[in-house]
Amino acid sequence: MTYDPPRPAGRLLLTPEDKEAPARTRRLRVLGLGQHTEPFLDAFADRLAELAGAPYAMVNFIDEERQFFAGLHTPYGGIPAEPPTEARTDATKPRIGRYMARDHGFCPHVVVRHKALVLEDVRDYPRFAGNPVVDEFGIHSYLGAPLIDRTGIALGTVCVSDVEPRPWGRAGLDTIKSMAAELVERIELREGGF
């Protein structure tokens, strides 16, 4: 297994370097995405959660500073539209809200790789097991695909996750990739004024 070079402080760089972030941020602004919620993206996340049978589903746009879940489905509903992401469900675990730091979660890996990522049990992968979402939110499985538009930029991801290990299998991978392709088609219509 290979790791990225260490940071100056000597820590492993667990979140990959994202050289495309400035171009992505500009492209998201042109498309009017990544700054506010849209009902069709929440509905898309709801549909994705249902298809995958997952408690969490997101349409995630990633800029230079943070991740923004413009479409979000959670098991507890009542999603806050603004920060903070740490509205507590109980005394120990924060809720997943609309915003997340760039070094949290697995979507930053998907956008840098430009490839889907299947993690049936994130704890099986040393690179991912130490991710803050594992401890903070209890996420143990992840399935995500990039939203690559006609310019070749990965705008973000569509993804599902669960607090239990999940055998996503080939069917899950095919579903997440087809849902990403469907959403990219809808996003590209934005330039035509949908």
Side-chain angles (χ1 to χ4, degrees):
M1 174 175 260
T2 61
Y3 290 97
D4 294 322
R7 290 183 178 185
R11 288 186 18 198
L12 291 176
L13 181 61
L14 297 178
T15 302
E17 183 180 358
D18 186 358
K19 294 177 182 175
E20 193 175 71
R24 177 183 316 105
T25 301
R26 287 189 299 274
R27 182 74 178 136
L28 287 170
R29 285 188 188 129
V30 166
L31 293 169
L33 295 170
Q35 298 296 315
H36 52 82
T37 62
E38 295 188 37
F40 95 90
L41 293 173
D42 280 335
F44 189 91
D46 291 341
R47 190 168 133 235
L48 180 57
E50 183 178 335
L51 285 171
Y56 297 96
M58 295 94 164
V59 175
N60 184 8
F61 298 116
I62 302 173
D63 65 21
E64 293 175 275
E65 305 298 322
R66 65 180 183 192
Q67 300 177 68
F68 175 63
F69 301 125
L72 181 58
H73 173 92
T74 68
Y76 43 79
I79 309 305
E82 298 297 327
T85 60
E86 298 186 316
R88 301 289 175 172
T89 58
D90 61 36
T92 60
K93 296 287 182 193
R95 283 188 173 187
I96 293 177
R98 294 283 180 179
Y99 300 89
M100 188 174 283
R102 282 188 47 82
D103 65 347
H104 282 49
F106 314 106
C107 293
H109 297 270
V110 173
V111 296
V112 169
R113 292 165 28 123
H114 280 231
K115 290 175 29 179
L117 179 61
V118 180
L119 299 171
E120 294 183 348
D121 188 338
V122 298
R123 297 166 298 180
D124 289 342
Y125 302 89
R127 179 178 191 87
F128 299 116
N131 195 288
V133 298
V134 177
D135 293 329
E136 291 179 28
F137 301 103
I139 298 300
H140 289 160
S141 60
Y142 172 89
L143 176 65
L147 297 168
I148 302 173
D149 81 344
R150 65 176 178 75
T151 66
I153 293 173
L155 302 172
T157 67
V158 294
C159 66
V160 293
S161 59
D162 201 335
V163 295
E164 300 294 330
R166 290 284 301 269
W168 301 108
R170 184 66 193 185
L173 181 60
D174 290 345
T175 297
I176 202 77
K177 288 167 112 178
S178 69
M179 292 294 285
E182 177 185 320
L183 186 55
V184 166
E185 286 179 21
R186 290 190 67 183
I187 289 171
E188 287 180 345
L189 291 174
R190 292 182 83 86
E191 290 181 294
F194 89 100

PDB file of all heavy atoms in Angstrom, residues 148-170:
ATOM      1  N   ILE A 148     -18.726  14.129 -13.205  1.00  0.00           N
ATOM      2  CA  ILE A 148     -17.786  14.708 -14.172  1.00  0.00           C
ATOM      3  C   ILE A 148     -18.582  15.332 -15.305  1.00  0.00           C
ATOM      4  O   ILE A 148     -19.286  14.635 -16.046  1.00  0.00           O
ATOM      5  CB  ILE A 148     -16.806  13.643 -14.694  1.00  0.00           C
ATOM      6  CG1 ILE A 148     -16.043  13.037 -13.519  1.00  0.00           C
ATOM      7  CG2 ILE A 148     -15.852  14.255 -15.726  1.00  0.00           C
ATOM      8  CD1 ILE A 148     -15.172  11.868 -13.876  1.00  0.00           C
ATOM      9  N   ASP A 149     -18.473  16.647 -15.430  1.00  0.00           N
ATOM     10  CA  ASP A 149     -19.262  17.324 -16.457  1.00  0.00           C
ATOM     11  C   ASP A 149     -18.523  17.357 -17.795  1.00  0.00           C
ATOM     12  O   ASP A 149     -17.432  16.820 -17.940  1.00  0.00           O
ATOM     13  CB  ASP A 149     -19.686  18.717 -15.984  1.00  0.00           C
ATOM     14  CG  ASP A 149     -18.632  19.794 -16.129  1.00  0.00           C
ATOM     15  OD1 ASP A 149     -17.435  19.478 -16.324  1.00  0.00           O
ATOM     16  OD2 ASP A 149     -19.006  20.987 -16.044  1.00  0.00           O
ATOM     17  N   ARG A 150     -19.120  18.016 -18.767  1.00  0.00           N
ATOM     18  CA  ARG A 150     -18.590  18.009 -20.143  1.00  0.00           C
ATOM     19  C   ARG A 150     -17.201  18.638 -20.259  1.00  0.00           C
ATOM     20  O   ARG A 150     -16.478  18.379 -21.207  1.00  0.00           O
ATOM     21  CB  ARG A 150     -19.555  18.700 -21.099  1.00  0.00           C
ATOM     22  CG  ARG A 150     -19.735  20.167 -20.811  1.00  0.00           C
ATOM     23  CD  ARG A 150     -20.615  20.883 -21.829  1.00  0.00           C
ATOM     24  NE  ARG A 150     -20.775  22.265 -21.476  1.00  0.00           N
ATOM     25  CZ  ARG A 150     -19.858  23.205 -21.616  1.00  0.00           C
ATOM     26  NH1 ARG A 150     -18.677  22.893 -22.107  1.00  0.00           N
ATOM     27  NH2 ARG A 150     -20.091  24.448 -21.264  1.00  0.00           N
ATOM     28  N   THR A 151     -16.806  19.448 -19.256  1.00  0.00           N
ATOM     29  CA  THR A 151     -15.482  20.074 -19.280  1.00  0.00           C
ATOM     30  C   THR A 151     -14.403  19.135 -18.748  1.00  0.00           C
ATOM     31  O   THR A 151     -13.229  19.470 -18.790  1.00  0.00           O
ATOM     32  CB  THR A 151     -15.469  21.367 -18.440  1.00  0.00           C
ATOM     33  OG1 THR A 151     -15.660  21.020 -17.061  1.00  0.00           O
ATOM     34  CG2 THR A 151     -16.544  22.352 -18.896  1.00  0.00           C
ATOM     35  N   GLY A 152     -14.816  17.990 -18.209  1.00  0.00           N
ATOM     36  CA  GLY A 152     -13.873  17.048 -17.626  1.00  0.00           C
ATOM     37  C   GLY A 152     -13.582  17.298 -16.158  1.00  0.00           C
ATOM     38  O   GLY A 152     -12.789  16.591 -15.543  1.00  0.00           O
ATOM     39  N   ILE A 153     -14.244  18.286 -15.573  1.00  0.00           N
ATOM     40  CA  ILE A 153     -14.052  18.599 -14.160  1.00  0.00           C
ATOM     41  C   ILE A 153     -15.002  17.751 -13.322  1.00  0.00           C
ATOM     42  O   ILE A 153     -16.181  17.629 -13.634  1.00  0.00           O
ATOM     43  CB  ILE A 153     -14.301  20.101 -13.899  1.00  0.00           C
ATOM     44  CG1 ILE A 153     -13.221  20.934 -14.589  1.00  0.00           C
ATOM     45  CG2 ILE A 153     -14.350  20.398 -12.406  1.00  0.00           C
ATOM     46  CD1 ILE A 153     -13.461  22.428 -14.535  1.00  0.00           C
ATOM     47  N   ALA A 154     -14.470  17.190 -12.247  1.00  0.00           N
ATOM     48  CA  ALA A 154     -15.314  16.484 -11.274  1.00  0.00           C
ATOM     49  C   ALA A 154     -15.892  17.538 -10.340  1.00  0.00           C
ATOM     50  O   ALA A 154     -15.190  18.104  -9.501  1.00  0.00           O
ATOM     51  CB  ALA A 154     -14.506  15.452 -10.509  1.00  0.00           C
ATOM     52  N   LEU A 155     -17.181  17.838 -10.501  1.00  0.00           N
ATOM     53  CA  LEU A 155     -17.842  18.881  -9.725  1.00  0.00           C
ATOM     54  C   LEU A 155     -18.064  18.475  -8.276  1.00  0.00           C
ATOM     55  O   LEU A 155     -18.145  19.314  -7.392  1.00  0.00           O
ATOM     56  CB  LEU A 155     -19.203  19.211 -10.348  1.00  0.00           C
ATOM     57  CG  LEU A 155     -19.188  19.666 -11.800  1.00  0.00           C
ATOM     58  CD1 LEU A 155     -20.607  19.773 -12.329  1.00  0.00           C
ATOM     59  CD2 LEU A 155     -18.440  20.977 -11.941  1.00  0.00           C
ATOM     60  N   GLY A 156     -18.194  17.191  -8.068  1.00  0.00           N
ATOM     61  CA  GLY A 156     -18.485  16.655  -6.749  1.00  0.00           C
ATOM     62  C   GLY A 156     -18.816  15.188  -6.890  1.00  0.00           C
ATOM     63  O   GLY A 156     -18.291  14.507  -7.782  1.00  0.00           O
ATOM     64  N   THR A 157     -19.719  14.722  -6.029  1.00  0.00           N
ATOM     65  CA  THR A 157     -20.071  13.306  -6.021  1.00  0.00           C
ATOM     66  C   THR A 157     -21.552  13.102  -5.759  1.00  0.00           C
ATOM     67  O   THR A 157     -22.244  14.000  -5.265  1.00  0.00           O
ATOM     68  CB  THR A 157     -19.324  12.552  -4.906  1.00  0.00           C
ATOM     69  OG1 THR A 157     -19.795  13.000  -3.644  1.00  0.00           O
ATOM     70  CG2 THR A 157     -17.828  12.720  -5.008  1.00  0.00           C
ATOM     71  N   VAL A 158     -21.999  11.903  -6.068  1.00  0.00           N
ATOM     72  CA  VAL A 158     -23.209  11.347  -5.472  1.00  0.00           C
ATOM     73  C   VAL A 158     -22.718  10.168  -4.652  1.00  0.00           C
ATOM     74  O   VAL A 158     -21.813   9.443  -5.082  1.00  0.00           O
ATOM     75  CB  VAL A 158     -24.281  10.919  -6.498  1.00  0.00           C
ATOM     76  CG1 VAL A 158     -24.827  12.123  -7.240  1.00  0.00           C
ATOM     77  CG2 VAL A 158     -23.756   9.897  -7.477  1.00  0.00           C
ATOM     78  N   CYS A 159     -23.270  10.001  -3.457  1.00  0.00           N
ATOM     79  CA  CYS A 159     -22.779   8.926  -2.598  1.00  0.00           C
ATOM     80  C   CYS A 159     -23.847   8.473  -1.627  1.00  0.00           C
ATOM     81  O   CYS A 159     -24.825   9.188  -1.373  1.00  0.00           O
ATOM     82  CB  CYS A 159     -21.540   9.378  -1.841  1.00  0.00           C
ATOM     83  SG  CYS A 159     -21.848  10.691  -0.650  1.00  0.00           S
ATOM     84  N   VAL A 160     -23.640   7.282  -1.114  1.00  0.00           N
ATOM     85  CA  VAL A 160     -24.455   6.732  -0.039  1.00  0.00           C
ATOM     86  C   VAL A 160     -23.512   6.191   1.021  1.00  0.00           C
ATOM     87  O   VAL A 160     -22.368   5.819   0.726  1.00  0.00           O
ATOM     88  CB  VAL A 160     -25.418   5.631  -0.533  1.00  0.00           C
ATOM     89  CG1 VAL A 160     -26.477   6.209  -1.459  1.00  0.00           C
ATOM     90  CG2 VAL A 160     -24.674   4.506  -1.232  1.00  0.00           C
ATOM     91  N   SER A 161     -23.996   6.141   2.259  1.00  0.00           N
ATOM     92  CA  SER A 161     -23.184   5.575   3.329  1.00  0.00           C
ATOM     93  C   SER A 161     -24.096   4.973   4.379  1.00  0.00           C
ATOM     94  O   SER A 161     -25.300   5.226   4.418  1.00  0.00           O
ATOM     95  CB  SER A 161     -22.251   6.629   3.932  1.00  0.00           C
ATOM     96  OG  SER A 161     -22.981   7.709   4.443  1.00  0.00           O
ATOM     97  N   ASP A 162     -23.468   4.157   5.226  1.00  0.00           N
ATOM     98  CA  ASP A 162     -24.220   3.451   6.249  1.00  0.00           C
ATOM     99  C   ASP A 162     -23.361   3.342   7.504  1.00  0.00           C
ATOM    100  O   ASP A 162     -22.129   3.407   7.425  1.00  0.00           O
ATOM    101  CB  ASP A 162     -24.595   2.053   5.745  1.00  0.00           C
ATOM    102  CG  ASP A 162     -25.769   1.436   6.502  1.00  0.00           C
ATOM    103  OD1 ASP A 162     -26.011   1.812   7.668  1.00  0.00           O
ATOM    104  OD2 ASP A 162     -26.441   0.566   5.926  1.00  0.00           O
ATOM    105  N   VAL A 163     -24.003   3.154   8.638  1.00  0.00           N
ATOM    106  CA  VAL A 163     -23.290   2.981   9.895  1.00  0.00           C
ATOM    107  C   VAL A 163     -22.923   1.515  10.119  1.00  0.00           C
ATOM    108  O   VAL A 163     -22.251   1.192  11.095  1.00  0.00           O
ATOM    109  CB  VAL A 163     -24.108   3.526  11.090  1.00  0.00           C
ATOM    110  CG1 VAL A 163     -24.273   5.030  10.969  1.00  0.00           C
ATOM    111  CG2 VAL A 163     -25.453   2.825  11.211  1.00  0.00           C
ATOM    112  N   GLU A 164     -23.328   0.662   9.219  1.00  0.00           N
ATOM    113  CA  GLU A 164     -22.996  -0.761   9.248  1.00  0.00           C
ATOM    114  C   GLU A 164     -22.175  -1.099   8.008  1.00  0.00           C
ATOM    115  O   GLU A 164     -22.337  -0.468   6.970  1.00  0.00           O
ATOM    116  CB  GLU A 164     -24.262  -1.620   9.241  1.00  0.00           C
ATOM    117  CG  GLU A 164     -25.186  -1.383  10.412  1.00  0.00           C
ATOM    118  CD  GLU A 164     -24.593  -1.807  11.736  1.00  0.00           C
ATOM    119  OE1 GLU A 164     -23.777  -2.742  11.747  1.00  0.00           O
ATOM    120  OE2 GLU A 164     -24.937  -1.189  12.765  1.00  0.00           O
ATOM    121  N   PRO A 165     -21.315  -2.108   8.060  1.00  0.00           N
ATOM    122  CA  PRO A 165     -20.657  -2.574   6.837  1.00  0.00           C
ATOM    123  C   PRO A 165     -21.718  -3.031   5.835  1.00  0.00           C
ATOM    124  O   PRO A 165     -22.751  -3.577   6.223  1.00  0.00           O
ATOM    125  CB  PRO A 165     -19.812  -3.756   7.310  1.00  0.00           C
ATOM    126  CG  PRO A 165     -19.589  -3.499   8.760  1.00  0.00           C
ATOM    127  CD  PRO A 165     -20.845  -2.827   9.248  1.00  0.00           C
ATOM    128  N   ARG A 166     -21.465  -2.769   4.549  1.00  0.00           N
ATOM    129  CA  ARG A 166     -22.435  -3.104   3.512  1.00  0.00           C
ATOM    130  C   ARG A 166     -21.743  -3.775   2.342  1.00  0.00           C
ATOM    131  O   ARG A 166     -20.776  -3.238   1.804  1.00  0.00           O
ATOM    132  CB  ARG A 166     -23.090  -1.821   2.964  1.00  0.00           C
ATOM    133  CG  ARG A 166     -24.022  -1.097   3.896  1.00  0.00           C
ATOM    134  CD  ARG A 166     -25.360  -1.796   4.015  1.00  0.00           C
ATOM    135  NE  ARG A 166     -26.044  -1.921   2.761  1.00  0.00           N
ATOM    136  CZ  ARG A 166     -26.916  -1.030   2.284  1.00  0.00           C
ATOM    137  NH1 ARG A 166     -27.218   0.039   2.973  1.00  0.00           N
ATOM    138  NH2 ARG A 166     -27.488  -1.223   1.129  1.00  0.00           N
ATOM    139  N   PRO A 167     -22.244  -4.905   1.883  1.00  0.00           N
ATOM    140  CA  PRO A 167     -21.716  -5.507   0.659  1.00  0.00           C
ATOM    141  C   PRO A 167     -22.389  -4.854  -0.542  1.00  0.00           C
ATOM    142  O   PRO A 167     -23.373  -5.357  -1.072  1.00  0.00           O
ATOM    143  CB  PRO A 167     -22.098  -6.987   0.815  1.00  0.00           C
ATOM    144  CG  PRO A 167     -23.350  -6.959   1.631  1.00  0.00           C
ATOM    145  CD  PRO A 167     -23.222  -5.767   2.553  1.00  0.00           C
ATOM    146  N   TRP A 168     -21.875  -3.707  -0.986  1.00  0.00           N
ATOM    147  CA  TRP A 168     -22.505  -2.952  -2.064  1.00  0.00           C
ATOM    148  C   TRP A 168     -22.534  -3.767  -3.360  1.00  0.00           C
ATOM    149  O   TRP A 168     -23.492  -3.690  -4.108  1.00  0.00           O
ATOM    150  CB  TRP A 168     -21.771  -1.636  -2.305  1.00  0.00           C
ATOM    151  CG  TRP A 168     -21.711  -0.723  -1.131  1.00  0.00           C
ATOM    152  CD1 TRP A 168     -20.616  -0.435  -0.378  1.00  0.00           C
ATOM    153  CD2 TRP A 168     -22.793   0.024  -0.549  1.00  0.00           C
ATOM    154  NE1 TRP A 168     -20.939   0.451   0.626  1.00  0.00           N
ATOM    155  CE2 TRP A 168     -22.266   0.749   0.545  1.00  0.00           C
ATOM    156  CE3 TRP A 168     -24.145   0.158  -0.845  1.00  0.00           C
ATOM    157  CZ2 TRP A 168     -23.046   1.596   1.339  1.00  0.00           C
ATOM    158  CZ3 TRP A 168     -24.923   0.996  -0.058  1.00  0.00           C
ATOM    159  CH2 TRP A 168     -24.382   1.703   1.014  1.00  0.00           C
ATOM    160  N   GLY A 169     -21.464  -4.511  -3.617  1.00  0.00           N
ATOM    161  CA  GLY A 169     -21.415  -5.380  -4.791  1.00  0.00           C
ATOM    162  C   GLY A 169     -21.454  -4.632  -6.115  1.00  0.00           C
ATOM    163  O   GLY A 169     -21.453  -3.399  -6.179  1.00  0.00           O
ATOM    164  N   ARG A 170     -21.483  -5.401  -7.180  1.00  0.00           N
ATOM    165  CA  ARG A 170     -21.509  -4.839  -8.534  1.00  0.00           C
ATOM    166  C   ARG A 170     -22.785  -4.044  -8.784  1.00  0.00           C
ATOM    167  O   ARG A 170     -22.773  -3.006  -9.434  1.00  0.00           O
ATOM    168  CB  ARG A 170     -21.372  -5.982  -9.555  1.00  0.00           C
ATOM    169  CG  ARG A 170     -21.292  -5.516 -10.979  1.00  0.00           C
ATOM    170  CD  ARG A 170     -20.012  -4.758 -11.171  1.00  0.00           C
ATOM    171  NE  ARG A 170     -20.029  -4.034 -12.427  1.00  0.00           N
ATOM    172  CZ  ARG A 170     -19.004  -3.370 -12.889  1.00  0.00           C
ATOM    173  NH1 ARG A 170     -17.878  -3.357 -12.222  1.00  0.00           N
ATOM    174  NH2 ARG A 170     -19.072  -2.727 -14.021  1.00  0.00           N
TER     175      ARG A 170
END
